[in-house]
Amino acid sequence: MNKILIVGGGYAGLYTARGLERQLGDSEAEITIVDPLPYMSYLPFLPEVAAGSIEPRHAVVTLRRHLARTKIVQAKVTNIDHANKVATIKPELGEERTFEYDVIVMTAGSVSRTFPIPGVADEAIGMKTIEEAAAVRDRLISNFAKAAALSEGPERDRLLNVTVVGGGFAGIETIAELRDFATYLLSRFREIAFEDVSFHLVEAMGRIMPEVSEQTALWVVEDLRKRGVNVHLETQLQGAVDGVVELSTGERFGSDLIIWTAGVMANPVVRATDLPLDDRGRITALATLQVARDGVVVPDAWTAGDVSAVPDKSSTPGPGGFCVPNAQHAVRQAKLLAKNIVAVLRDEAPREYIHANEGAVAGLGLWNGVFQKGKFAIKGPIAWLMHRGYHGMAMPMWERKLRVFGDWWNQFWLGRDFAELSDREHPRVAFETFASRPKPKVDA
């Protein structure tokens, strides 16, 4: 029996495990996933989670529910010695222990990539996890409630000022969805006017969304500006100390909600391995998804998704000739990865990952979106429907698809749910405040 260790239970890890379960018999392999989280998050839905269009739990897939034969180990991988095929794992409680394997699959995904800008680590929040998206939603609603009780002034302006750093797909969808959500909230917080709310998009390059044409990107910028978003192109964030945003143009303003979407990097877990890495910290691989050192296959090591540097053999390759880190590649690579692992275990030849570009689609708030494939572009409600249709069907598992479509259906008839539950981050405060405590002992 082959012991297969999958490091990372995200999109690529989940689909690889499901593929292996279907293609390998019980006596052929023992499959284990190690991940600190018990679920995978569908990252393209994070902006809609932040905007209250999707219930946070519906944008995740519970590993234990949908993997029948795979053993789920909720822990961190702290070291991988592939030369001896031993991994070291650290659960939340208890001591580190070693795990011996025969085949390793690295699908640990990516994390937010930041720069040492003063204040960012202390004040900003990412848009890379379901917890971050839910926290952004609660913060925006909470800030509206606080601002509604204040008179005009700097503190009120700070609460109603949202800043998004990064003009890629994640940043554009985040600021567009939040701007749309904020407009909806105005009908419930009548003490706040449209002009009182400020949104700032900060992008260091001269354009946004490099995956679409320049003409389409300009249309998106103009659309955002019409909706009240201040778009700062060729502008760098230079500071965020105490929530005061400082831009390279010299502009300064207070912002209580600063969202960082300016890039991702491979999960740092890869640095604690003896697997080959490129200059960006990604695991080097062949188009067959086999880990390779200088073009030579590293036996029994595989990789896919954001953590890998997989050659892009499509007609429009990504930067540097590698697949870009997105969900479209992760799910396709994972499906092939499972087949290739099975092929090699059965002494057959693996196939190369070659994909046809399906285009790029983004949601820009309710009934607004953009789609681009080659020189062909669609904007507005039709693109928005395409966005929801594509990602709704790409969401893993029918059980989860139905929950997401149910959220959209309910929202259509009932409006957005803007109940704010930020106190759940400190759920014992109410109990502790009123709990009876033993009286202090008095000396005789």
Side-chain angles (χ1 to χ4, degrees):
M1 178 176 294
N2 291 285
K3 297 179 69 174
I4 301 175
L5 173 62
I6 301 174
V7 180
Y11 215 131
L14 170 65
Y15 268 86
T16 299
R18 277 177 61 81
L20 292 173
E21 285 186 350
R22 291 172 176 173
Q23 298 171 62
L24 294 174
D26 291 351
S27 61
E28 289 185 274
E30 177 186 292
I31 309 164
T32 302
I33 283 183
V34 179
D35 194 296
L37 298 174
Y39 55 79
M40 69 134 284
S41 302
Y42 188 61
L43 301 186
F45 279 158
L46 295 188
E48 289 201 56
V49 169
S53 295
I54 296 176
E55 161 65 31
R57 288 178 299 173
H58 297 171
V60 303
V61 177
T62 306
L63 299 178
R64 295 181 187 276
R65 176 167 184 166
H66 295 284
L67 294 174
R69 289 173 39 215
T70 301
K71 182 180 180 182
I72 311 300
V73 179
Q74 208 168 323
K76 294 181 180 179
V77 174
T78 58
N79 186 68
I80 295 174
D81 179 7
H82 187 63
N84 296 301
K85 294 187 176 179
V86 175
T88 305
I89 62 177
K90 177 71 169 65
E92 186 175 356
L93 298 175
E95 301 296 323
E96 285 188 338
R97 59 188 175 89
T98 58
F99 184 96
E100 296 182 357
Y101 61 84
D102 299 306
V103 176
I104 193 164
V105 181
M106 295 297 296
T107 54
S110 58
V111 299
S112 295
R113 175 175 62 94
T114 60
F115 306 103
I117 300 171
V120 167
D122 301 313
E123 302 291 338
I125 186 170
M127 188 57 68
K128 200 73 177 65
T129 69
I130 198 71
E131 293 83 2
E132 289 174 327
V136 166
R137 173 185 176 276
D138 283 341
R139 175 74 73 85
L140 183 63
I141 300 169
S142 175
N143 283 357
F144 264 66
K146 293 174 183 176
L150 293 176
S151 348
E152 293 185 5
E155 180 63 17
R156 191 174 190 267
D157 293 341
R158 183 183 66 84
L159 290 169
L160 296 176
N161 206 334
V162 179
T163 304
V164 176
V165 183
F169 259 69
I172 295 302
E173 289 190 299
T174 296
I175 199 165
E177 290 285 354
L178 290 178
R179 172 69 267 188
D180 197 53
F181 186 33
T183 302
Y184 174 79
L185 291 176
L186 292 175
S187 64
R188 300 297 187 268
F189 292 91
R190 294 180 176 85
E191 304 89 342
I192 302 173
F194 182 89
E195 297 76 17
D196 295 336
V197 184
S198 297
F199 278 78
H200 294 267
L201 176 71
V202 181
E203 169 53 47
M205 305 299 291
R207 58 161 294 179
I208 62 170
M209 303 172 74
E211 297 88 348
V212 303
S213 68
E214 186 171 356
Q215 182 179 3
T216 301
L218 288 173
W219 180 87
V220 174
V221 169
E222 290 305 311
D223 180 72
L224 289 174
R225 284 174 171 161
K226 288 178 183 177
R227 293 156 63 188
V229 176
N230 301 288
V231 181
H232 306 268
L233 299 178
E234 296 185 326
T235 304
Q236 295 178 344
L237 177 68
Q238 294 190 330
V241 177
D242 297 328
V244 177
V245 173
E246 297 183 37
L247 304 181
S248 57
T249 57
E251 189 173 355
R252 298 175 81 253
F253 50 85
S255 181
D256 190 69
L257 184 52
I258 303 171
I259 305 169
W260 181 275
T261 64
V264 297
M265 65 179 183
N267 193 317
V269 68
V270 300
R271 302 171 191 167
T273 75
D274 56 355
L275 299 173
L277 306 179
D278 69 358
D279 56 356
R280 296 181 59 183
R282 301 171 299 181
I283 299 174
T284 54
L286 303 180
T288 56
L289 306 177
Q290 293 168 289
V291 175
R293 179 177 279 106
D294 299 325
V296 179
V297 171
V298 176
D300 301 319
W302 302 80
T303 187
D306 294 0
V307 80
S308 63
V310 176
D312 188 347
K313 295 201 168 186
S314 69
S315 57
T316 55
F322 296 101
C323 297
V324 296
N326 62 25
Q328 187 178 140
H329 283 303
V331 65
R332 291 180 174 189
Q333 289 174 2
K335 291 178 178 179
L336 176 63
L337 178 53
K339 295 177 182 178
N340 279 354
I341 292 173
V342 173
V344 170
L345 290 177
R346 295 174 178 172
D347 296 323
E348 299 172 4
R351 293 189 293 112
E352 291 189 334
Y353 174 68
I354 301 176
H355 73 101
N357 192 336
E358 293 184 352
V361 62
L364 303 175
L366 290 179
W367 301 104
N368 195 17
V370 62
F371 168 80
Q372 178 93 45
K373 184 174 182 180
K375 296 182 180 180
F376 178 69
I378 300 176
K379 311 175 187 73
I382 295 177
W384 177 79
L385 289 171
M386 294 171 67
H387 170 266
R388 284 206 163 176
Y390 173 80
H391 285 296
M393 294 308 296
M395 179 71 187
M397 314 310 160
W398 275 103
E399 170 256 337
R400 273 335 195 199
K401 296 183 204 293
L402 292 175
R403 293 181 190 272
V404 169
F405 280 109
D407 287 340
W408 290 336
W409 175 257
N410 291 334
Q411 179 185 272
F412 180 79
W413 296 104
L414 305 175
R416 299 180 195 251
D417 184 351
F418 62 98
E420 181 255 319
L421 300 174
S422 57
D423 283 349
R424 71 178 182 270
E425 296 178 16
H426 307 285
R428 296 190 66 250
V429 169
F431 180 81
E432 289 180 328
T433 300
F434 301 103
S436 298
R437 301 180 184 277
K439 293 181 178 180
K441 292 181 180 181
V442 179
D443 293 336

